Amino acid sequence: MGRLVMKFGGTSVANIDRIRNVARHVKREVDAGHNVAVVVSAMAGKTNELVGWCGDASPLHDAREYDAVVASGEQVTSGLLAIVLQGMGIQARSWQGWQIPIKTSDAHASARILEIDGSEISARFKDRQEVAVIAGFQGINPQTNRITTLGRGGSDTSAVAIAAAIRADRCDIYTDVDGVYTTDPRVVPKARRLDKIAFEDMLELASQGAKVLQVRSVELGMVHNMPVFVRSSFDKPEDIDPHGTPPGTLICSEEEIMESHVVTGIAFSKDEAQISVRQIEDKPGVAAAIFGPLAEANINVDMIVQNVSEDGKTTDLTFTVPASDYTRARDTITSAKAKIGYARLDTATDVAKVSVIGSGMRSHAGVAAQAFTALAGRNINIRAITTSEIKFSVLIDAAYTELAVRTLHTLYGLDQT
Ligand code: ADP
Ligand code: ASP
Ligand code: MG
């Protein structure tokens, strides 16, 4: 007998029929003799609707009340799944974040899980073979006793954290694709499913925009060495051989991966904005005058490019921020103009970041150079470049995102044959 966490995303619980399908998946694992904790998201589109309502109620709303509103989507699906499971004769009980409790920081709308008490769930496995149906995405701050949420896509993180807390053998993430692909299969039909991917590579893919897993869930998987298996909820539960290996992608430690390619995958994000600060003085302290206020405003700066000045007097500095922080970032820099000292700001919001990821890059030179040639061949202009040990990113005009991703996908031999 094993212990499993099964997480189902929004499209997998989009209506009662799909919830019934999820229940059959759960029953399959229960019948195979496993103890199961299920983590559910809100129905597809629900969280967006709730977020929209908060904005309509007041554009500058209290983050604590935002969390009270948006956490409700998962409350509904956890209750519904428990009802359907009970109707099938399976012992099941729903759990909200506060009931377990899933203790988090007080950073409302992007809280971090601090601690989960898995003892009650484990006791109920033992005493009653009861399935725990847990509302994903939400927790509680122990100091304030208020509901928190974990940031968009946060149910993945709930699932991996619960898997670690109850010492599960594996955390299965059921979604609307049958695994992690070399890039988003909805954008590149030739994308290839990976049988296995190392935590490090998955972490980069997720941080650079592949939304199949929330970044923090991959971090937690890595820290706890919890095998995470991404698979489709649309495979018919009845067709799955309980002893076979279903289609999907295992996220695991690098040592478990035999086959290694230089490039593992390509991610992209259109959620970017570029700000160029023109003619700043080339002297110590200017970068601090720019990035200090941005940090104070809690704005995450991503790419930073500064030129070496030609005359030793002035230079330009360009950086990117998430599109949702663009207005705040621009206003922050404008307010600090006297202290920074610059001639003007040039900004762009129709930009995208395309990132090429692969731990094999550690030992291979020239991988990025090939990309620059290929993108030039397609007449795609590169606005900024950043590199790290296992990835490089280019900032381009958003209109060319799909073309750039497909070009690089073919260039690095990732296309399905
Ligand atoms: P869920 O609601 O189940 O959490 P998400 O929409 O959050 O599902 O994540 C699944 C989606 O992630 C897929 O539909 C796919 O379009 C997208 N995606 C982006 N990059 C990748 C990738 N490299 N591999 C698989 N899916 C990806
Ligand atoms: N429902 C939340 C969201 O849409 C959490 C999740 O689905 O993972 O972001
Ligand atoms: Mg998701």
Side-chain angles (χ1 to χ4, degrees):
M1 175 184 294
R3 218 170 239 208
L4 280 183
V5 169
M6 306 172 74
K7 181 258 170 179
F8 293 89
T11 27
S12 310
V13 294
N15 54 46
I16 302 293
D17 266 353
R18 297 231 177 124
I19 292 178
R20 286 193 206 289
N21 176 62
V22 164
R24 293 206 299 278
H25 275 292
V26 174
K27 182 172 187 309
R28 174 174 55 77
E29 298 292 10
V30 170
D31 289 348
H34 299 306
N35 286 140
V36 178
V38 191
V39 174
V40 284
S41 291
M43 291 181 179
K46 194 42 150 179
T47 310
N48 285 345
E49 183 182 43
L50 296 167
V51 170
W53 285 350
C54 292
D56 290 349
S58 168
L60 290 175
H61 44 262
D62 185 326
R64 286 162 292 196
E65 302 312 338
Y66 165 96
D67 277 350
V69 175
V70 300
S72 65
E74 276 72 10
Q75 174 158 346
V76 172
T77 45
S78 58
L80 288 172
L81 178 58
I83 292 174
V84 173
L85 285 168
Q86 289 169 0
M88 291 165 70
I90 296 170
Q91 288 259 38
R93 185 59 63 210
S94 71
W95 295 86
Q96 307 310 300
W98 62 270
Q99 288 171 309
I100 290 183
I102 297 175
K103 294 183 187 164
T104 77
S105 69
D106 66 353
H108 284 277
S110 57
R112 280 173 82 88
I113 295 179
L114 304 173
E115 196 192 324
I116 297 180
D117 183 353
S119 57
E120 181 65 22
I121 291 174
S122 299
R124 285 169 183 242
F125 282 161
K126 207 159 143 252
D127 304 340
R128 331 180 184 176
Q129 278 80 50
E130 186 177 277
V131 172
V133 185
I134 301 163
F137 186 47
Q138 49 161 280
I140 184 170
N141 176 254
Q143 270 81 44
T144 60
N145 256 354
R146 302 218 63 95
I147 294 173
T148 53
T149 63
L150 309 177
R152 298 305 305 271
S155 297
D156 298 326
T157 301
S158 311
V160 179
I162 286 159
I166 64 168
R167 300 207 165 78
D169 300 297
R170 202 178 66 224
C171 180
D172 281 350
I173 305 280
Y174 288 80
T175 183
D176 56 5
V177 278
D178 61 358
V180 177
Y181 281 68
T182 45
T183 191
D184 191 338
R186 294 186 201 287
V187 170
V188 181
K190 285 185 186 161
R192 203 157 27 87
R193 190 180 66 223
L194 299 160
D195 289 334
K196 287 185 179 180
I197 180 171
F199 284 117
E200 288 81 354
D201 288 38
M202 189 65 233
L203 196 59
E204 288 287 359
L205 269 181
S207 354
Q208 301 308 321
K211 71 167 187 167
V212 60
L213 285 177
Q214 201 198 32
V215 178
R216 183 79 186 123
S217 71
V218 188
E219 273 172 7
L220 281 180
M222 186 147 87
V223 169
H224 296 284
N225 206 11
M226 173 61 61
V228 176
F229 189 60
V230 178
R231 57 192 295 185
S232 169
S233 69
F234 298 136
D235 293 337
K236 274 221 177 100
E238 297 74 23
D239 295 347
I240 297 173
D241 171 4
H243 306 294
T245 313
T249 303
L250 182 70
I251 300 147
C252 55
S253 63
E254 214 168 337
E255 298 84 68
E256 290 176 55
I257 297 175
M258 309 297 272
E259 205 189 354
S260 112
H261 297 277
V262 178
V263 171
T264 308
I266 297 171
F268 56 90
S269 160
K270 291 183 181 172
D271 172 39
E272 306 287 324
Q274 176 196 322
I275 299 182
S276 297
V277 194
R278 301 292 184 202
Q279 293 178 42
I280 50 172
E281 269 193 86
D282 194 11
K283 64 169 194 194
V286 174
I290 293 174
F291 296 116
L294 290 170
E296 268 163 43
N298 233 332
I299 295 171
N300 255 330
V301 175
D302 182 16
M303 301 172 116
I304 302 177
V305 185
Q306 184 184 326
N307 216 339
V308 176
S309 92
E310 197 184 349
D311 56 7
K313 288 185 194 130
T314 65
T315 185
D316 296 339
L317 189 145
T318 293
F319 60 89
T320 63
V321 293
S324 51
D325 285 336
Y326 163 70
T327 314
R328 274 195 323 123
R330 192 198 53 201
D331 294 351
T332 304
I333 299 298
T334 313
S335 311
K337 182 168 186 186
K339 205 151 175 222
I340 302 167
Y342 60 85
R344 65 169 204 278
L345 291 185
D346 289 335
T347 62
T349 48
D350 49 355
V351 291
K353 184 176 62 168
V354 176
S355 305
V356 175
I357 291 127
S359 26
M361 274 188 227
R362 280 196 197 106
S363 47
H364 280 81
V367 183
Q370 290 176 296
F372 305 147
T373 310
L375 293 175
R378 296 287 189 164
N379 242 334
I380 299 173
N381 187 40
I382 301 173
R383 291 164 166 264
I385 303 167
T386 53
T387 63
S388 76
E389 214 186 6
I390 66 164
K391 72 135 222 275
F392 66 89
S393 305
V394 292
L395 191 72
I396 59 170
D397 288 351
Y400 296 110
T401 314
E402 283 79 11
L403 178 63
V405 173
R406 274 189 247 120
T407 302
L408 298 178
H409 199 266
T410 306
L411 174 73
Y412 294 114
L414 299 174
D415 289 352
Q416 222 177 62
T417 43

